[in-house]
Amino acid sequence: EAGVAQSPRYKIIEKRQSVAFWCNPISGHATLYWYQQILGQGPKLLIQFQNNGVVDDSQLPKDRFSAERLKGVDSTLKIQPAKLEDSAVYLCASSFLRGGGGNTIYFGEGSWLTVV
Amino acid sequence: GQQVMQIPQYQHVQEGEDFTTYCNSSTTLSNIQWYKQRPGGHPVFLIQLVKSGEVKKQKRLTFQFGEAKKNSSLHITATQTTDVGTYFCAYATSGTYKYIFGTGTRLKVLA
C-alpha cells in the first residue's frame, strides 16, 4: 500500500514570497490533515478535511495560509506571503475515517520549509 | 480550555535502562494515541487507547490509560538504541475528532 505522498521535500524561499505544498493521501482515506511542526515542537493541526469539506481550520492563519482539497483526494497548502516564523516542516496526514474510534493517522515524509 | 502536558521534555538513559513518558490532561479525553518520531523523520502511529484503565503491550512497550481518562503513560523496558526519537501523545476531546499532539518527550539512549 502506497503511503502519503508529499512534494516538494525541501524548499527555501525569501520572506514575502509564496510557496505551495502538495499532498496525495492514501487511497480511500476520507480524512486529510495538514500539520505544521516547528523544530523541537509537536505537530500543530492547521486544517482538517473530510472528503473535500473543511472540518476544522481554527488554527490556520487565514490571512496568509490557504488550503484546498479538490475532488476529495489531493490537497494543496499555500503560504502567501511567507514570514520567517513559517519555517517548519509541513506534514500531510490521512486517515480512513474521521479520526476517532480506532483510526490510525498516517503521515507523509513532510515538506521542509526554510524562509530566509 | 484543554490543557495537556507531556513530561519529561527530555530523557537521556543508558542502554538497558527503563524509560517512561507521561501525558496529563486537565479534562477527560475520549481516546489517546501514541506516536514515535525518529530524528529527521515523521510521526509513526504506535497505539490507540480508548477504555478507562486500558493497558496494552507491544514487545518492550507498555501503554496505559488512566481510570479517569485524564492521563496516559508509555513505558519502555530495557531501552535499546533503536528506541531513540521523540514520543508524542495525541488526543481528541470528547465529541470531536480533532487530534492535538502533545509537546513530546525526546529520548536519547546512550550505548
Side-chain angles (χ1 to χ4, degrees):
Chain A
E1 178 182 81
V4 177
Q6 289 189 245
S7 68
R9 285 297 314 279
Y10 305 94
K11 191 76 175 178
I12 301 175
I13 62 172
E14 295 182 349
K15 58 184 179 183
R16 291 186 291 274
Q17 286 188 324
S18 62
V19 63
F21 302 114
W22 172 83
C23 173
N24 181 236
I26 293 173
S27 178
H29 280 194
T31 304
L32 185 147
Y33 314 79
W34 282 101
Y35 284 87
Q36 178 194 57
Q37 188 174 26
I38 294 172
L39 188 65
Q41 299 182 15
K44 170 187 168 185
L45 179 65
L46 293 176
I47 190 166
Q48 179 178 340
F49 292 94
Q50 175 77 7
N51 296 311
N52 61 349
V54 176
V55 173
D56 189 289
D57 63 356
S58 57
Q59 301 241 67
L60 187 73
K62 297 180 184 64
D63 58 332
R64 299 183 301 106
F65 286 65
S66 64
E68 60 182 8
R69 191 184 184 194
L70 299 176
K71 301 180 182 178
V73 181
D74 293 8
S75 178
T76 56
L77 175 70
K78 297 180 181 177
I79 306 175
Q80 182 179 13
K83 293 185 175 181
L84 295 176
E85 59 260 35
D86 297 333
S87 294
V89 180
Y90 290 87
L91 294 162
C92 180
S94 70
S95 64
F96 182 64
L97 294 174
R98 204 180 158 192
N103 206 35
T104 301
I105 299 175
Y106 297 87
F107 284 85
E109 296 286 340
S111 293
W112 296 63
L113 174 66
T114 300
V115 182
V116 298
Chain B
Q2 178 73 38
Q3 287 193 343
V4 174
M5 298 294 295
Q6 194 171 349
I7 55 173
Q9 188 175 3
Y10 302 97
Q11 186 82 57
H12 293 182
V13 299
Q14 286 292 136
E15 189 173 21
E17 291 182 338
D18 292 355
F19 159 77
T20 305
T21 174
Y22 302 89
C23 200
N24 299 313
S25 171
S26 57
T27 59
T28 301
L29 306 173
S30 60
N31 59 73
I32 196 160
Q33 298 181 342
W34 285 92
Y35 289 78
K36 176 183 178 181
Q37 185 173 25
R38 294 182 186 276
H42 58 279
V44 175
F45 176 84
L46 294 175
I47 208 151
Q48 174 164 291
L49 304 171
V50 179
K51 300 177 183 176
S52 170
E54 190 170 14
V55 178
K56 289 187 177 180
K57 293 190 176 184
Q58 289 179 350
K59 297 182 180 178
R60 295 178 295 104
L61 278 60
T62 301
F63 304 84
Q64 290 188 311
F65 203 7
E67 292 291 341
K69 299 183 75 173
K70 288 185 176 182
N71 55 71
S72 181
S73 65
L74 157 58
H75 179 82
I76 303 178
T77 303
T79 54
Q80 300 175 359
T81 54
T82 53
D83 296 325
V84 165
T86 302
Y87 293 84
F88 292 100
C89 62
Y91 54 91
T93 51
S94 297
T96 79
Y97 297 98
K98 175 181 170 181
Y99 275 90
I100 307 297
F101 278 71
T103 50
T105 296
R106 187 178 301 175
L107 173 64
K108 186 171 182 177
V109 179
L110 307 172

